[in-house]
Amino acid sequence: MKNLGVLWLVVFISLMGFGVTTVPFPLVVEQMGGSDFWKTFGGGGVFSVFQLIATPLWGRYSDSLGRKPILIASLVGSVFAYLWLAYADNLTSLMLARALGGIMSGNLSAAFAYATDVTDPRNRARGLGIVTSAFGVGFAIGPAVGGFLGMDADGQATLFLPALVSAGVSLVALLGAMVFLSESLPASLRRPLPGAAKQRGAVDRPASPPGRSPLAALTARPVLLALMLSSLLVSLGGATMQSVYQFWSRDLLGLSLLQVGLQFAFFAVCSVAGQAGLIGPLTQRFGEKRVALASAIGAVVGLLVFAVARDAATVWLAIGVFGLALGLFGPAVTSLVSFEADPRERGAVMGAFSAASSAGRIVGPAMAGPLYFSIHHSAPFVVSAALAGIGALLLLRSHAVKPAAALPPAVGGG
């Protein structure tokens, strides 16, 4: 639990930094003359494209070099990315800074692999839920701060102060990881990168054979592909809502940036309630698959409520249902994936799985802008609800994942 606590703080501070910039970002893009596509895609979409590219690589390198060095290197990059974002004065520079931030955020695969290293199979969903709750708490605080700091004296959206604050909290996370985080992956279980042993000519001790590529590890077990696609489709709904919400709430309800930040904070609090409070008892009683399926259905319901909402009370209801559903879905599905993955390939598999969620966060913002501005203000929610429904069907039709009791125990203690 001590290791999980330190990891929680590192992830929390990192996600708070990201959350601070989330609320004003689409409006800054609009002020810089971005098209309908870039208004929603420029923030979450660009970030997730490069996160998608980097996540499997960070995960694979964490299987070889250890989790801690990867977390430290990526946090250094995050500090520089936020400083760049603070001083970006045109759309191109803004997008390049966001791309660098996405690359550095690929460290989440190493963070999840760390959590599976230090938890036993029976408590893995609970451990993952604790770590995942850092996302929710960080994202609860970040948007509220970003909504407050994201308006200048003239009433225009700005990223200057939010990005500087994000750089500062990322620096705190870096120092915390360097000082307090211990390595979770023993050297005996590390897998050399392909070709590494050949280049050395000889090794000092017997080593595990090089791991398969993430794609090979996934295709070897079809259930992993089903879980990956389900995660992609459900995360698409979350990304769609978060990328278009600033415009939707402004145009339909006349909400200010600060009000939007507070609603994002409530959304994150509901997610944390699922991630940290409910996921453990629910999976112990019903199993990860049933919890994942129920939460995917809950995500569909939440998106459909957004589509028909016309008053504040209905909006708050939609936020609560959707936030709770996503909070339960993430750790439940991640736990299922960890049970199916070889412990020696867990970093690579978690990286590929996280990349699937990143893909959803690419497609969602890419389609949200054109659907919202060119078709109808409800269209992004209806389309993403339909796709999340397909994700629920994939979960329903996949074979039940067997309990992890037969798998080798996780290392590192908990």
Side-chain angles (χ1 to χ4, degrees), residues 148 258 271:
F148 178 74
L258 179 57
S271 294

Side-chain angles (χ1 to χ4, degrees), residues 156-177:
Q156 297 293 304
T158 178
L159 282 167
F160 180 70
L161 284 179
L164 287 182
V165 169
S166 298
V169 296
S170 294
L171 181 60
V172 173
L174 169 63
L175 295 175

Side-chain angles (χ1 to χ4, degrees), residues 233 300 303-304 380-393:
L233 293 171
V300 174
L303 287 166
L304 291 177
F381 302 108
V382 173
V383 173
S384 56
L387 293 173
I390 296 173
L393 288 175

Side-chain angles (χ1 to χ4, degrees), residues 3 100 146 179 194 197 245 248-249 276 344 364 368:
N3 289 329
L100 179 60
V179 175
Y245 191 81
W248 181 82
S249 61
R344 295 168 297 178

Side-chain angles (χ1 to χ4, degrees), residues 13-315:
I13 293 173
S14 299
L15 266 292
M16 186 179 75
F18 172 73
V20 169
T21 64
T22 298
V23 172
F25 200 99
L27 300 180
V28 171
V29 174
E30 183 180 55
Q31 291 168 186
M32 289 184 173
S35 67
D36 291 345
F37 172 80
W38 288 109
K39 288 175 187 176
T40 56
F41 186 76
V46 169
F47 186 90
S48 296
V49 165
F50 288 89
Q51 185 185 57
L52 173 64
I53 295 170
T55 296
L57 298 176
W58 286 125
R60 181 64 187 90
Y61 276 97
S62 79
D63 286 338
S64 298
L65 305 176
R67 317 302 187 197
K68 182 174 179 176
I70 297 304
L71 291 171
I72 289 175
S74 56
L75 286 169
V76 170
S78 293
V79 173
F80 284 104
Y82 285 125
L83 289 175
W84 185 356
L85 191 68
Y87 291 95
D89 58 0
N90 59 69
L91 197 58
T92 300
S93 182
L94 193 73
M95 295 306 166
L96 290 173
R98 203 56 160 178
L100 179 60
I103 291 172
M104 297 305 150
S105 75
N107 64 3
L108 298 181
S109 57
F112 279 122
Y114 189 108
T116 63
D117 289 341
V118 299
T119 54
D120 59 62
R122 177 175 173 80
N123 294 305
R124 187 155 300 146
R126 178 172 176 266
L128 289 167
I130 290 173
V131 174
T132 306
S133 71
F135 290 69
V137 177
F139 202 71
I141 297 174
V145 175
F148 178 74
L149 298 177
M151 298 291 285
D152 62 20
D154 298 324
Q156 297 293 304
T158 178
L159 282 167
F160 180 70
L161 284 179
L164 287 182
V165 169
S166 298
V169 296
S170 294
L171 181 60
V172 173
L174 169 63
L175 295 175
M178 293 175 65
V179 175
F180 299 110
L181 197 66
S182 59
E183 180 55 57
S184 66
L185 186 65
S188 60
L189 290 181
R190 296 183 191 179
R191 311 203 83 175
L193 296 172
K198 183 177 180 180
Q199 292 174 5
R200 290 196 301 267
V203 293
D204 296 330
R205 58 174 176 78
S208 301
R212 295 176 292 183
S213 69
L215 181 60
L218 287 170
T219 55
R221 297 189 65 84
V223 68
L224 285 174
L225 283 177
L227 294 171
M228 182 178 70
L229 289 174
S230 178
S231 178
L232 186 158
L233 293 171
V234 174
S235 68
L236 182 152
T240 298
M241 175 266 183
Q242 294 177 49
S243 65
V244 80
Y245 191 81
Q246 290 89 328
F247 303 108
W248 181 82
S249 61
R250 180 192 66 185
D251 298 341
L252 268 69
L253 302 175
L255 300 184
S256 68
L257 202 61
L258 179 57
Q259 289 173 312
V260 171
L262 293 174
Q263 289 185 331
F264 270 52
F266 177 65
F267 171 81
V269 168
C270 292
S271 294
V272 171
Q275 292 162 347
L278 296 176
I279 185 65
L282 288 176
T283 54
Q284 290 285 343
R285 180 167 182 175
F286 299 107
E288 280 83 352
K289 182 178 177 180
R290 289 181 179 176
V291 172
L293 178 59
S295 56
I297 295 171
V300 174
V301 172
L303 287 166
L304 291 177
V305 175
F306 275 117
V308 301
R310 296 295 182 273
D311 58 80
T314 308
V315 170

